[in-house]
Amino acid sequence: MVLDRAALAQRSLERLVQVVGDITEPVLETYYARHPDARASFEHHGLGHTRELEGRMVAESLYLLLAWVEDPVRARIDHGTAIVHHNDTLLVTPHWYLGLVDATLEILLTTIPAEADDERALWLNVRAEFAAFVESLRSEFIRPGDGRPLPELKPSNG
């Protein structure tokens, strides 16, 4: 039985909730380990409510991944302006933006059984599509940044 993208995503996300529950802390631990300077940005933009902002952004990362699976065109529209705004106004670089999505994916990937190659392939494909989209937006940035290429996702169990 071949499942469509949405069914595969649902299966993965249901398992994620069963295995991990609230993913906020493990995602943030993974994220800050790779992007320690991003912590100060969350503190600055959180205006005294850093934990709430962190929680919302982790939830937004999950929402982005699901939206990308269900309707990539809509997700591009929703996030195209958000990514540019984050870069130019909030000084959240594409590395940090993609980094939070990657940290979310890494936690998700740890819950996928070895035999579920279809699920793993789905998420790695979604990540590749999203990273290419983020890269394509750089020409719209007012603040071009340092031009470093976006990293590949290197899941620990994949």
Side-chain angles (χ1 to χ4, degrees):
M1 172 169 151
V2 176
L3 298 176
D4 68 13
R5 284 170 56 118
L8 285 173
Q10 181 176 349
R11 186 169 75 187
S12 292
L13 295 174
E14 287 174 357
R15 184 183 315 103
L16 176 65
V17 170
Q18 292 170 353
V19 172
V20 180
D22 182 355
I23 66 165
T24 304
E25 285 308 313
V27 167
L28 290 172
E29 286 174 19
T30 301
Y31 180 62
Y32 288 140
R34 290 192 180 86
H35 302 281
D37 294 343
R39 187 182 302 271
S41 179
F42 270 102
E43 290 169 0
H44 173 75
H45 295 298
L47 302 172
H49 301 280
T50 303
R51 298 306 292 170
E52 292 89 341
L53 178 60
E54 289 169 332
R56 280 197 314 272
M57 292 301 98
V58 170
E60 282 292 322
S61 293
L62 260 181
Y63 175 76
L64 160 67
L65 290 166
L66 182 58
W68 198 277
V69 166
E70 292 178 341
D71 189 348
V73 172
R74 186 187 81 223
R76 283 180 177 88
I77 292 167
D78 289 348
H79 287 273
T81 55
I83 293 166
V84 172
H85 169 72
H86 275 74
N87 182 78
D88 292 343
T89 305
L90 303 175
L91 306 180
V92 173
T93 69
H95 289 82
W96 286 358
Y97 201 100
L98 181 61
L100 191 58
V101 172
D102 282 353
T104 303
L105 272 173
E106 287 185 48
I107 301 306
L108 173 64
L109 289 170
T110 65
T111 65
I112 297 176
E115 67 275 5
D117 292 332
D118 52 353
E119 286 181 52
R120 184 175 275 68
L122 166 71
W123 294 116
L124 294 176
N125 187 49
V126 165
R127 195 287 183 174
E129 291 170 5
F130 182 67
F133 175 65
V134 171
E135 190 65 45
S136 77
L137 294 172
R138 287 186 187 228
S139 65
E140 298 181 28
F141 293 170
I142 293 169
R143 299 176 188 269
D146 61 14
R148 288 180 302 131
L150 294 173
E152 295 293 321
L153 178 66
K154 295 180 179 129
S156 59
N157 70 334

